[in-house]
């Protein structure tokens, strides 16, 4: 069983190291950030299972760290515990009203901290498992073959993928992806798969020929996109769509995925959704009567606050006026704009506005 990862965000270095030692002794994997800004960065890079965060930090305090991470699809579900010297009832109430999972006042007993961490991790794991069950149910409804792999080893498939190849789940896990297709077909995709796994390519699609369970060779379109980092390497998600049904089935796939995103039943990052829509948009480009997957995914991935910032930005309002209207800081507006640029692949806010207008994401 892999050790759970905990991120400590604490500007008191002595306390941070003490907490790290306590957690390591209790078999947790720990990383330490010495400021709010570093903590935000490590939350995205480290992908922790739980975050312990001090409140009294400068220039970015614990409340700001929490609000920023809560606003991101990638980090919003991570259990978050405040550790602070603020013991006033109003301070505690304010922290809990923000939505944090727990509020622990310094000085505290290590056993109390460990108990709180254990409870929050167990609750989080239950939610993740529910999401995984929903995700598997979704995959098994798909008429296309879907699989998760690291470029070689296949870790998970849906039933359509197994039916397509005429193999059992146990048999698939004993062979690598390149063994499923001929050497000639694998050479067409080998370099692109390696680039995807190493972060050098966002996604790709390629026509390949595959020997099916019936013994016939049929043409498919293989879609591959990075999924998420896991224990230091990148997992990829692949989809095999029959060439003649590619546009229709890919669109159906996206509608189902977006519905799951909107209902927030599974843990999936906005970055992944953006990469997926890039992978599939090409396949539905010739279907003018169907809604663009860019539009569907963007609407489901943008947070409520990001949508508000986007709407006001499209009206030509400067950052300060947007901040005043939304009762947030200038820095927070800039942060939301940066997130919008990342999710749309834009280089600046002007490109975000153009993207929004093209995809009917705002009403002017």
């Amino acid at each position: 069983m892999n050790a759970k990862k905990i991120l400590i965000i604490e500007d008191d270095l002595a306390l941070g190291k003490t907490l790290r030692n306590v957690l390591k002794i209790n078999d947790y994997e720990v990383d330490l950030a010495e400021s709010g800004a570093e903590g935000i960065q490590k939350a995205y890079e480290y992908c922790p299972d739980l975050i312990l965060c001090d409140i009294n930090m400068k220039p970015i305090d614990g409340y700001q760290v929490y609000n920023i991470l809560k606003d991101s699809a990638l980090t919003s579900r991570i259990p978050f515990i405040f550790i602070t010297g603020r013991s006033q009832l109003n301070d505690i109430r304010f922290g809990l009203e923000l939505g944090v999972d727990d509020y622990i006042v310094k000085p505290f007993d290590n056993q109390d901290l460990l108990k709180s961490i254990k409870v929050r991790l167990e609750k989080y794991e239950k939610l993740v498992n529910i999401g995984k069950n929903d995700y598997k149910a979704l995959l098994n409804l798909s008429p296309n073959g879907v699989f998760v792999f690291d470029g070689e080893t296949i870790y998970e498939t849906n039933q359509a993928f197994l039916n397509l190849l005429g193999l059992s789940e146990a048999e698939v896990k004993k062979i690598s992806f390149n063994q499923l297709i001929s050497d000639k077909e694998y050479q067409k995709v080998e370099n692109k798969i390696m680039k995807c796994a190493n972060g050098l390519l966002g996604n790709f699609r390629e026509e390949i020929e595959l020997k099916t369970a019936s013994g016939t060779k049929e043409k498919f379109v293989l879609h591959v996109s990075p999924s998420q980092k896991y224990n230091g390497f990148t997992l990829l998600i692949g989809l095999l769509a029959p060439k003649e049904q590619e546009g229709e089935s890919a669109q159906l796939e996206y509608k189902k995925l977006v519905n799951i995103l909107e209902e927030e039943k599974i843990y999936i990052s906005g970055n992944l959704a953006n990469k997926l829509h890039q992978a599939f948009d090409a396949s539905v480009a010739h279907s003018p009567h169907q809604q663009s997957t860019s539009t569907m995914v963007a609407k489901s991935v943008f947070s409520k606050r990001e949508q508000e910032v986007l709407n006001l930005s499209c009206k030509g309002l400067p950052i300060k006026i947007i901040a005043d209207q939304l009762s947030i800081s200038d820095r927070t507006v800039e942060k939301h704009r940066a997130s919008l640029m990342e999710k749309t692949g834009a280089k600046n806010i002007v490109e975000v506005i153009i993207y929004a207008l093209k995809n009917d994401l705002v009403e002017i």
Side-chain angles (χ1 to χ4, degrees):
M1 183 176 179
N2 296 323
K4 296 295 184 182
K5 298 189 294 184
I6 297 179
L7 173 62
I8 300 170
I9 307 174
E10 172 61 74
D11 61 356
D12 183 336
L13 188 56
L15 176 58
K17 288 183 176 180
T18 299
L19 287 173
R20 181 173 61 187
N21 292 336
V22 169
L23 294 174
K24 282 188 173 182
I25 290 172
N26 285 272
D27 300 323
Y28 291 109
E29 184 181 322
V30 187
D31 200 358
L32 175 61
E34 299 176 27
S35 68
E38 185 184 2
I40 293 168
Q41 180 180 354
K42 286 194 172 183
Y44 286 100
E45 295 176 351
Y46 187 57
C47 298
D49 296 296
L50 182 140
I51 296 173
L52 295 175
C53 184
D54 186 21
I55 293 179
N56 295 322
M57 298 183 293
K58 292 182 179 180
I60 300 177
D61 64 23
Y63 294 135
Q64 291 171 299
V65 171
Y66 174 76
N67 285 330
I68 290 171
L69 296 182
K70 183 183 177 183
D71 229 12
S72 169
L74 186 62
T75 55
S76 62
R77 292 179 180 269
I78 300 175
F80 196 102
I81 297 176
F82 276 143
I83 47 175
T84 179
R86 295 185 179 182
S87 58
Q88 295 296 319
L89 183 60
N90 287 339
D91 291 325
I92 297 174
R93 182 181 292 115
F94 179 71
L96 294 176
E97 285 176 351
L98 284 177
V100 295
D101 295 274
D102 206 351
Y103 192 109
I104 298 178
V105 178
K106 304 173 186 176
F108 48 81
D109 185 273
N110 288 339
Q111 292 304 314
D112 290 337
L113 175 64
L114 291 170
K115 182 178 179 181
S116 177
I117 290 173
K118 183 174 183 292
V119 170
R120 305 306 161 189
L121 286 174
E122 287 177 350
K123 180 180 178 182
Y124 177 59
E125 191 166 356
K126 286 181 181 178
L127 292 174
V128 170
N129 287 335
I130 290 172
K132 285 182 179 178
N133 290 336
D134 287 343
Y135 183 58
K136 287 181 179 178
L138 167 67
L139 292 186
N140 284 327
L141 287 172
S142 170
N144 296 320
V146 182
F147 59 105
V148 177
F149 69 128
D150 63 6
E152 296 182 359
T153 304
I154 298 174
Y155 296 96
E156 189 172 347
T157 70
N158 68 343
Q159 191 59 47
F161 184 85
L162 299 176
N163 294 342
L164 178 67
L165 298 173
L167 298 172
S168 68
E169 187 173 354
E171 289 172 328
V172 167
K173 289 184 177 180
K174 290 180 181 178
I175 59 180
S176 57
F177 174 70
N178 65 304
Q179 292 176 286
L180 299 177
I181 57 179
S182 68
D183 291 342
K184 179 181 178 182
E185 295 299 301
Y186 184 66
Q187 288 174 4
K188 292 166 60 176
V189 297
E190 181 180 11
N191 189 46
K192 293 180 180 179
I193 288 176
M194 290 183 64
K195 285 185 176 181
C196 263
N198 290 305
L200 301 176
L201 181 65
N203 51 72
F204 73 88
R205 58 188 292 275
E206 184 72 55
E207 291 185 15
I208 63 171
E209 191 173 71
L210 187 70
K211 187 176 181 179
T212 65
S214 62
T216 60
K217 289 186 177 181
E218 298 179 20
K219 289 186 177 181
F220 291 84
V221 176
L222 170 67
H223 300 270
V224 175
S225 181
S227 172
Q228 59 184 330
K229 288 186 177 180
Y230 181 77
N231 283 355
F233 61 90
T234 300
L235 288 178
L236 307 174
I237 185 167
L239 184 143
L240 287 169
K243 189 173 184 300
E244 67 275 9
Q245 300 174 6
E246 180 192 0
E248 180 181 353
S249 56
Q251 181 71 19
L252 176 63
E253 204 72 24
Y254 253 94
K255 286 184 178 180
K256 292 176 182 176
L257 285 171
V258 170
N259 285 338
I260 294 293
L261 281 170
E262 289 176 341
E263 293 169 7
E264 296 184 349
K265 288 185 177 180
I266 62 172
Y267 179 68
I268 185 168
S269 73
N271 188 39
L272 168 58
N274 187 45
K275 288 178 179 177
L276 286 173
H277 93 67
Q278 290 173 4
F280 284 91
D281 261 353
S283 66
V284 295
H286 301 296
S287 182
H289 301 295
Q290 296 182 1
Q291 184 184 22
S292 157
T293 57
S294 301
T295 303
M296 292 191 298
V297 173
K299 285 184 175 179
S300 66
V301 171
F302 292 167
S303 69
K304 179 181 178 182
R305 184 65 82 188
E306 287 170 349
Q307 189 68 50
E308 291 172 342
V309 170
L310 176 60
N311 290 340
L312 294 175
S313 296
C314 287
K315 294 180 181 179
L317 299 181
I319 289 177
K320 182 166 183 56
I321 293 179
I322 293 175
D324 290 343
Q325 290 199 16
L326 297 179
S327 299
I328 56 178
S329 68
D330 294 2
R331 184 192 295 270
T332 301
V333 174
E334 291 175 348
K335 183 266 298 183
H336 287 309
R337 285 189 168 194
S339 180
L340 288 166
M341 285 186 277
E342 179 183 355
K343 291 179 178 180
T344 58
K347 296 178 182 178
N348 52 56
I349 195 63
V350 174
E351 289 187 8
V352 174
I353 292 172
I354 293 172
Y355 177 92
L357 294 174
K358 283 177 62 179
N359 291 285
D360 297 322
L361 301 181
V362 292
E363 296 181 3
I364 302 298

